[in-house]
């Protein structure tokens, strides 16, 4: 990643935070009250940055170092904003505490106040409940997604709290930007306005609970390279009814005239339904995102795929002969889960730079250190990992023990939650 | 991050409870605001201080010098500055949408008091 891209998100957050804080920097007030004002504005700026970082626009994602990085920062800024906004009313009340504790409580308590303070409290409580929901993984993704987007309402209420306090000069532009970011996300991305129409050409079951779907563009094709993923929503076909919500799928093949293939593993209600998809189903495709296999160095490489994690590597070897000496270590539970095995073997047979090692690991967690090549054999290697988060974490640890530095370990551990 | 969320949220509610308990169980500190010997100002006196740099207002029968405070007031200047040099009780009691100022503002007000407003002579 270039230095500029590396700095892009921190600089963006700094600008969003420092701007309003500088504008509102208090003078001559008590320390606690001044701090209360500063943390309130800093929290406001962080929330605005967090809203920008939830947008799924390929160009924006490229400029900011990838969608996965944006989402990581989205989580951090959201959490930091929450903590600062919790401190905001406490510090304002704390200013009066040394001299008059009743006044301190009156400042904090919503019971003696009007709409400006009630909206502040409502916003804080919505943030509290919204974040509690965010951390709850048992909620179905569809419900979770809308509840999470509902956090945006907390941001808007918090900004209205400022407007009603009579502080509208810097708030209107912030409120305008927050509304644009939320509207952009909901209309262009959740409702699919930014996505391109595609049609399902074929669907083949390639392993137990896994189907490969071929999609043909009906208008402009999305620009995609091997290693990237797209967001796809499947709608209706002759007999199939899709769930119509966008899910990320890694591309397993990129055709010359814009067709793409995606691998879909049954991991939830929606992806389970997709297993029975049929030709003729309408879809919308948004993307592409990610730079997992982009700009690979000329050094020898180790690719490790776990289950469905084979798809980015498959897209790369389907695209042509490899330029780097590459060992593909393909891990799967049982033979029935080994998707694309015959095809990968055939490609490895004709690509002199590709060697394949396929291992059925069984249902127990395998000893990854034993599965990986010896430290001596990994010297000068760049390692690319794709699979379940637990497996990737284990592989990173095992590779570190074998002397591979983090700079030479590449992975995209993408999760939308 | 989940643990951080839970611990900060719990700490927040703990502190809110402490503020509430503090207001109930501990006697409020004596009102330390030293009220200077009350000086009386007429409306004409008041009207001489009608600029943002030299801004007096009369609120609820008292006269306040807000010259130093004006830049810190949270609302935009054009909302408060027109009240310099005037009787502003109604504006103070019914700021945007008819709401009174908060108890915190009442407390702050006392710090800027310089005297009382002379009563209108009966006609």
């Amino acid at each position: 990643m270039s230095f500029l891209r590396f700095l892009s998100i921190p600089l963006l957050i700094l600008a969003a935070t420092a701007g309003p804080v500088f504008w509102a920097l208090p003078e001559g007030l008590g320390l606690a009250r001044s701090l209360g004002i500063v943390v309130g504005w800093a929290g406001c700026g962080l929330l605005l940055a967090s809203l920008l970082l939830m947008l799924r626009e390929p160009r924006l994602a490229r400029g900011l170092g990838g969608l996965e990085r944006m989402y990581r920062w989205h989580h951090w800024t959201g959490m930091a904003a929450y903590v600062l906004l919790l401190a905001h009313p406490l510090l304002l009340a704390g200013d009066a505490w040394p001299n008059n504790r009743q006044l301190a409580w009156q400042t904090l308590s919503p019971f003696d106040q009007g709409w400006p303070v009630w909206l502040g409290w409502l916003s804080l409580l919505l943030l509290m409940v919204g974040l509690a929901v965010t951390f709850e993984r048992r909620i179905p993704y569809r419900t979770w997604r809308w509840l999470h987007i509902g956090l945006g309402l907390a941001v808007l209420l918090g900004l209205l709290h400022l407007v009603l306090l009579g502080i509208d000069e810097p708030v209107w532009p912030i409120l305008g930007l927050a509304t644009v970011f939320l509207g952009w996300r909901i209309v262009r991305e959740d409702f699919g306005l930014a996505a391109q129409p595609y049609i399902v050409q074929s669907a083949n079951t390639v392993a137990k609970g896994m189907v490969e779907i071929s999609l043909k563009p009906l208008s402009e094709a999305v620009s995609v390279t091997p290693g990237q993923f797209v967001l796809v929503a499947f709608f209706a076909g002759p007999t199939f009814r899709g769930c119509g919500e966008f899910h990320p799928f890694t591309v397993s093949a990129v055709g010359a005239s814009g067709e793409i293939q995606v691998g879909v593993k049954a991991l939830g209600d929606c992806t389970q339904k997709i297993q029975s998809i049929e030709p003729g189903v309408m879809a919308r495709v948004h993307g592409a995102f990610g730079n997992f296999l982009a700009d690979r160095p000329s050094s020898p490489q180790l690719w490790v795929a776990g289950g469905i994690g084979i798809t980015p590597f498959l897209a790369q070897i389907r695209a042509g002969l490899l330029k780097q000496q590459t060992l593909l270590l393909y891990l799967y539970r049982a033979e029935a889960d080994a998707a694309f095995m015959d095809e990968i073997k055939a490609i490895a047979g004709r690509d002199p730079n590709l060697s394949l090692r396929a291992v059925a690991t069984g249902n127990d967690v395998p000893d990854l250190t034993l599965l990986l090549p010896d430290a001596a054999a990994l010297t000068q290697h760049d390692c690319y990992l794709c699979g379940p988060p637990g497996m990737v974490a284990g592989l990173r640890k095992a590779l570190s023990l074998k002397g591979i530095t983090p700079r030479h370990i590449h992975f995209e551990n993408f999760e939308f939650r | 991050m989940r643990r951080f969320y839970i611990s900060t949220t719990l700490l927040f509610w703990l502190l809110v409870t402490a503020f509430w308990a503090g207001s109930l169980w501990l006697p409020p500190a004596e009102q330390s605001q030293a009220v200077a010997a009350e000086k009386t100002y007429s409306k004409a006196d008041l009207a001489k201080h009608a600029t943002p740099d030299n801004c007096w207002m009369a609120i609820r029968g008292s006269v306040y010098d807000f010259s130093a405070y004006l830049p810190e007031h949270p609302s935009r200047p054009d909302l408060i500055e027109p009240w310099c040099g005037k009787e502003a009780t109604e504006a103070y009691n019914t700021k945007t949408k008819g709401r009174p100022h908060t108890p915190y503002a009442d407390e702050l007000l006392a710090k800027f008091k310089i005297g009382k407003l002379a009563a209108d002579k009966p006609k």
Side-chain angles (χ1 to χ4, degrees):
Chain A
M1 189 187 305
S2 74
F3 189 59
L4 199 62
R5 276 188 187 164
F6 178 75
L7 283 182
S8 57
I9 295 181
L11 284 177
L12 185 85
I13 291 169
L14 185 68
T17 313
V21 167
F22 181 74
W23 181 87
L25 205 60
E27 284 175 22
L29 298 181
L31 178 66
R33 189 164 178 80
S34 300
L35 272 175
I37 292 170
V38 165
V39 297
W41 283 104
C44 177
L46 282 174
L47 282 180
L48 187 67
S50 183
L51 287 181
L52 175 67
L53 292 169
M54 72 172 184
L55 297 183
R56 299 170 180 174
E57 288 297 330
R59 277 186 198 169
L60 181 71
R62 270 197 299 277
L64 297 178
L67 201 59
E68 187 207 2
R69 183 166 183 257
M70 284 171 69
Y71 269 53
R72 218 167 39 234
W73 279 96
H74 166 75
H75 294 152
W76 290 344
T77 49
M79 194 64 212
Y82 173 66
V83 173
L84 291 180
L85 293 172
L86 285 182
H88 168 66
L90 294 173
L91 284 163
L92 292 181
D95 195 58
W97 175 268
N99 296 323
N100 189 336
R101 290 171 189 181
Q102 279 184 332
L103 178 65
W105 171 241
Q106 280 172 352
T107 308
L108 184 64
S109 160
F111 302 115
D112 306 323
Q113 312 274 0
W115 273 106
V117 176
W118 291 342
L119 277 182
W121 267 101
L122 194 59
S123 165
L124 201 56
L125 292 175
L126 270 177
L127 275 180
M128 205 173 276
V129 174
L131 279 175
V133 167
T134 296
F135 292 119
E136 182 51 70
R137 290 179 172 267
R138 282 171 295 183
I139 299 173
Y141 178 70
R142 178 184 286 190
T143 314
W144 179 92
R145 191 167 56 103
W146 283 109
L147 286 171
H148 189 67
I149 289 173
L151 274 171
L153 185 65
V155 180
L156 296 181
L157 288 179
L159 291 168
L160 281 176
H161 148 76
L162 290 169
V163 171
L164 288 189
L165 278 172
I167 317 168
D168 52 9
E169 191 182 311
V171 175
W172 285 119
I174 295 177
L175 188 61
L177 280 173
T179 311
V180 167
F181 293 159
L182 272 171
W184 189 286
R185 165 62 199 259
I186 292 170
V187 176
R188 267 185 67 80
E189 292 153 29
D190 292 300
F191 291 157
L193 207 71
Q196 298 295 336
Y198 277 65
I199 189 165
V200 173
Q201 274 189 311
S202 63
N204 300 311
T205 301
V206 289
K208 195 172 122 192
M210 186 172 162
V211 65
E212 187 181 41
I213 303 166
S214 177
L215 290 155
K216 183 184 168 190
L218 293 177
S219 64
E220 195 182 336
V222 298
S223 169
V224 56
T225 55
Q228 289 194 297
F229 68 91
V230 287
L231 301 170
V232 188
F234 293 102
F235 298 96
T239 58
F240 175 82
R241 292 287 175 274
C243 46
E245 63 190 40
F246 285 89
H247 283 255
F249 300 114
T250 305
V251 169
S252 57
V254 183
S257 46
E259 308 94 26
I260 54 170
Q261 285 173 243
V262 292
V264 180
K265 189 169 172 68
L267 295 170
D269 294 344
C270 189
T271 46
Q272 179 64 52
K273 193 183 267 191
I274 292 171
Q275 300 303 308
S276 58
I277 202 164
E278 60 195 353
V281 169
M282 300 303 294
R284 292 189 77 84
V285 177
H286 185 204
F289 301 98
N291 48 8
F292 178 50
L293 295 176
D295 306 323
R296 279 172 298 132
S298 55
S299 55
Q301 300 184 356
L302 169 71
W303 293 355
V304 188
I308 183 79
I310 192 66
T311 44
F313 302 122
L314 180 65
Q316 187 65 63
I317 60 176
R318 277 173 168 174
L321 297 179
L322 298 176
K323 290 178 181 145
Q324 303 90 342
Q325 270 215 323
T326 304
L327 167 63
L328 170 58
L329 176 57
Y330 184 12
L331 308 176
Y332 45 85
R333 284 191 181 173
E335 296 302 326
D337 302 306
F340 311 107
M341 183 56 84
D342 292 341
E343 185 182 354
I344 295 169
K345 277 182 182 166
I347 295 173
R350 57 178 186 265
D351 188 335
N353 280 330
L354 177 65
S355 44
L356 170 69
R357 193 171 157 223
V359 181
T361 58
N363 286 329
D364 298 329
V365 179
D367 186 339
L368 295 169
T369 314
L370 292 177
L371 291 175
L372 292 170
D374 293 339
L378 285 174
T379 314
Q380 307 292 324
H381 273 61
D382 269 86
C383 305
Y384 291 80
L385 320 174
C386 189
M391 190 199 87
V392 171
L395 283 168
R396 288 170 63 198
K397 198 174 166 188
L399 286 167
S400 293
L401 290 173
K402 288 178 185 282
I404 307 288
T405 56
R407 201 161 63 88
H408 296 286
I409 303 174
H410 313 270
F411 60 95
E412 277 190 352
N413 212 356
F414 200 88
E415 276 193 290
F416 265 172
R417 289 204 188 202
Chain B
M1 204 179 272
R2 186 167 178 266
R3 275 189 199 163
F4 187 57
Y5 164 79
I6 293 171
S7 51
T8 50
T9 306
L10 284 177
L11 182 64
F12 172 77
W13 287 114
L14 204 66
L15 288 169
V16 170
T17 310
F19 272 106
W20 171 70
S23 75
L24 286 182
W25 295 340
L26 298 170
E30 283 185 49
Q31 296 297 321
S32 58
Q33 190 65 42
V35 179
E38 291 265 279
K39 196 174 171 185
T40 305
Y41 297 99
S42 67
K43 284 192 173 174
D45 293 329
L46 191 64
K48 289 175 194 163
H49 305 273
T51 63
D53 296 335
N54 184 4
C55 177
W56 291 11
M57 288 183 208
I59 297 169
R60 297 172 186 164
S62 298
V63 177
Y64 300 90
D65 181 357
F66 290 134
S67 309
Y69 174 68
L70 226 53
E72 303 302 331
H73 191 268
S75 79
R76 56 176 193 268
D78 61 328
L79 282 181
I80 186 170
E81 285 175 6
W83 293 100
C84 293
K86 292 179 186 162
E87 214 294 326
T89 304
E90 193 56 22
Y92 183 82
N93 287 342
T94 60
K95 67 171 186 164
T96 35
K97 316 274 183 190
R99 286 174 295 103
H101 276 73
T102 59
Y104 178 82
D106 291 341
E107 175 85 353
L108 205 59
L109 203 60
K111 294 180 183 169
F112 298 96
K113 185 172 175 178
I114 56 172
K116 63 181 180 182
L117 187 68
D120 284 340
K121 288 176 187 169
K123 291 178 181 174

